[in-house]
Amino acid sequence: MPVDSGLEDELVLGDPNAPRFVLWNGKLRPVPSSPSDLPFFDLMSIPGKLRAGFGALGIRPPPPPPGHEESVEEFVRRNLGDEVFERLIEPFCSGVYAGDPSKLSMKAAFGKVWKLEQIGGSIIGGTFKAIRERNRVPKPPRDPRLPKPKGQTVGSFRKGLAMLPNAISSMLGSKVKLSWKLSSISKLDNGGYNLTYETPEGLVTLQTRSVIFTVPSYVASSLLRPLSEAAADSLSKFYYPPVASVSVSYPKDAIRTECLIDGELKGFGQLHPRSQGVETLGTIYSSSLFPNRAPSGRVLLLNYIGGATNTGIVSKTESELVEAVDRDLRKILINPNAKDPVALGVRVWPQAIPQFLIGHLDILDAAKGALRDSGLRGLFLGGNYVSGVALGRCVEGAYDVAAEVAGFLSQYSYK
């Protein structure tokens, strides 16, 4: 995507060796970054590590009977034990999905890991089988223009992620319409669709063969209801809890000495299990990950708060959210007597991240099936509730939908 949009020289990657931390028993503890770290990290006890190792090999309780869709909590506790769930997976679910792992579907939310047990009888068995399959069917050659990070990391752009949509808009020119709101859609006799938009210039009507819905599922539900009640009902069932992002800055000397590495705040950030008595879901060390994110002598911290287990944030003011984040950081990362932070941005999403709950894939299949049964060919569902919530999965999902649309439109000839 950076190559296609002309941003390859603007891409910045975080240090793949930068540590990630989880709060446990009042201390930030590094998460192992490779198998060689497993014997030495103190986030888990020796019995917990042994339980995880034996479970990954398949020495653990048997899988549930067919037809039982396991939650993330059920799958992880059964396969890897309580400590892996409570100290690694639960905070990861909170940080990525802002979700409740007792309700998230393992198959839908972490399908690649779920599939390993299905194909190999255990996580390790499935991993070896997947490796053999990859060796048997080589991947397409990697685009030589892409960057080659030395490990798993995250990326952004020199002036933030907004550079990506702005670059795509610039490349497409007048084909991209801003501030156009789709107000209604109707089916035409020729199989196409009539779209009515509210625009700054007034109502505009267009006709098209295909429509891709990348809006949240509840918006798609409202738009599709006149065409298919069944599809709309299915799309209305997905749950989006509220999440707030709070960006704050502190002087570098406000960081606790024990949290510094070589005198600096280093790392991706920290995650907080719900059992550890803090409200904030996690914190990203923005100024440590990417250059030019904060002036000299200061650090920039991006914090997330809310989620499925803390929906009350929607009733808090911006100052109350900043106070909650600051209160938590002073328990963990910031000296208690430090000066008040500079609040640089607070954003609340009342409906933020779609939850891949148990039954998610069945509901999605029902929505797509209802569109087919209603004869609504050319309507495609996309977005994060379809592909996955991570940015990379959204990009991959966009390419998948684009291929579907291209296949559909190839049936028609245009002059």
Side-chain angles (χ1 to χ4, degrees):
M1 178 61 75
V3 173
D4 294 340
S5 59
L7 292 177
E8 60 267 33
D9 294 332
E10 300 296 326
L11 182 66
V12 290
L13 300 175
D15 178 4
N17 297 316
R20 300 161 172 84
F21 300 95
V22 167
L23 175 66
W24 193 258
N25 287 341
K27 179 182 177 182
L28 290 175
R29 303 172 190 271
V31 175
S33 57
S34 67
S36 61
D37 294 338
L38 292 174
F40 308 106
F41 78 108
D42 68 350
L43 181 57
M44 289 172 55
S45 67
I46 292 177
K49 296 174 186 177
L50 291 174
R51 168 65 179 88
F54 285 127
L57 289 168
I59 306 173
R60 43 83 174 110
H68 177 81
E69 184 175 357
E70 282 188 295
S71 68
V72 171
E73 179 174 2
E74 289 173 325
F75 180 93
V76 175
R77 286 191 188 274
R78 179 175 61 80
N79 276 281
L80 301 173
D82 295 341
E83 288 193 18
V84 169
F85 172 74
E86 294 165 0
R87 307 183 191 192
L88 287 170
I89 302 304
E90 190 272 339
F92 181 79
C93 287
S94 295
V96 174
Y97 281 93
D100 182 348
S102 69
K103 298 178 181 178
L104 288 173
S105 162
M106 186 69 193
K107 180 180 180 180
F110 302 102
K112 291 183 178 180
V113 178
W114 174 85
K115 191 175 181 180
L116 293 177
E117 185 183 24
Q118 304 301 306
I119 65 174
S122 68
I123 293 175
I124 296 295
T127 300
F128 283 130
K129 197 164 184 177
I131 291 172
R132 289 196 297 270
E133 182 64 20
R134 284 199 299 268
N135 292 336
R136 189 180 68 82
V137 183
K139 289 183 177 180
R142 178 183 174 87
D143 190 325
R145 299 171 297 171
L146 291 173
K148 298 179 180 178
K150 296 180 180 180
Q152 187 174 4
T153 185
V154 295
S156 185
F157 299 97
R158 296 190 188 281
K159 295 182 180 180
L161 287 176
M163 290 188 73
L164 180 58
N166 289 340
I168 295 172
S169 175
S170 178
M171 290 177 65
L172 295 175
S174 61
K175 294 179 182 179
V176 174
K177 304 299 183 184
L178 303 179
S179 300
W180 283 39
K181 179 182 178 182
L182 180 61
S183 59
S184 67
I185 176 172
S186 58
K187 190 176 180 181
L188 300 172
D189 292 338
N190 66 2
Y193 299 93
N194 196 71
L195 308 178
T196 301
Y197 289 90
E198 299 172 11
T199 80
E201 290 75 35
L203 292 179
V204 174
T205 299
L206 300 175
Q207 293 184 358
T208 182
R209 282 283 183 189
S210 64
V211 183
I212 308 169
F213 291 87
T214 58
V215 291
S217 62
Y218 52 87
V219 178
S221 172
S222 176
L223 290 168
L224 288 169
R225 188 163 295 282
L227 299 175
S228 172
E229 287 278 348
D233 287 344
S234 292
L235 290 170
S236 69
K237 293 178 181 178
F238 296 122
Y239 171 53
Y240 292 68
V243 174
S245 66
V246 181
S247 295
V248 292
S249 175
Y250 294 89
K252 280 188 175 181
D253 58 16
I255 306 297
R256 295 188 181 199
T257 303
E258 65 268 24
C259 297
L260 299 175
I261 301 174
D262 299 328
E264 299 286 339
L265 178 65
K266 295 183 179 180
F268 279 83
Q270 59 195 53
L271 293 173
H272 312 144
R274 300 297 79 210
S275 61
Q276 297 304 293
V278 294
E279 190 175 1
T280 313
L281 297 169
T283 300
I284 296 174
Y285 304 162
S286 299
S287 54
S288 299
L289 271 179
F290 305 117
N292 304 318
R293 290 301 195 266
S296 177
R298 299 195 69 88
V299 296
L300 176 63
L301 304 176
L302 172 58
N303 308 270
Y304 291 98
I305 186 170
T309 60
N310 183 16
T311 58
I313 63 154
V314 292
S315 63
K316 291 188 175 183
T317 65
E318 290 190 2
S319 61
E320 287 173 334
L321 289 170
V322 172
E323 289 171 6
V325 166
D326 180 55
R327 183 169 56 248
D328 284 346
L329 288 173
R330 290 174 190 270
K331 298 176 183 176
I332 310 164
L333 186 69
I334 301 298
N335 289 313
N337 59 351
K339 293 182 179 179
D340 291 342
V342 176
L344 298 171
V346 179
R347 176 71 183 271
V348 179
W349 289 272
Q351 294 174 285
I353 302 174
Q355 300 297 288
F356 283 47
L357 304 178
I358 290 172
H360 180 95
L361 297 179
D362 293 334
I363 296 172
L364 183 59
D365 286 344
K368 292 180 177 180
L371 293 179
R372 290 192 300 269
D373 295 343
S374 300
L376 300 173
R377 299 181 69 248
L379 298 187
F380 299 89
L381 301 178
N384 57 4
Y385 71 94
V386 177
S387 61
V389 301
L391 176 59
R393 286 296 303 126
C394 289
V395 172
E396 292 170 1
Y399 279 109
D400 292 340
V401 174
E404 287 186 65
V405 176
F408 170 75
L409 293 178
S410 67
Q411 306 169 60
Y412 303 92
S413 60
Y414 297 92
K415 296 181 180 180

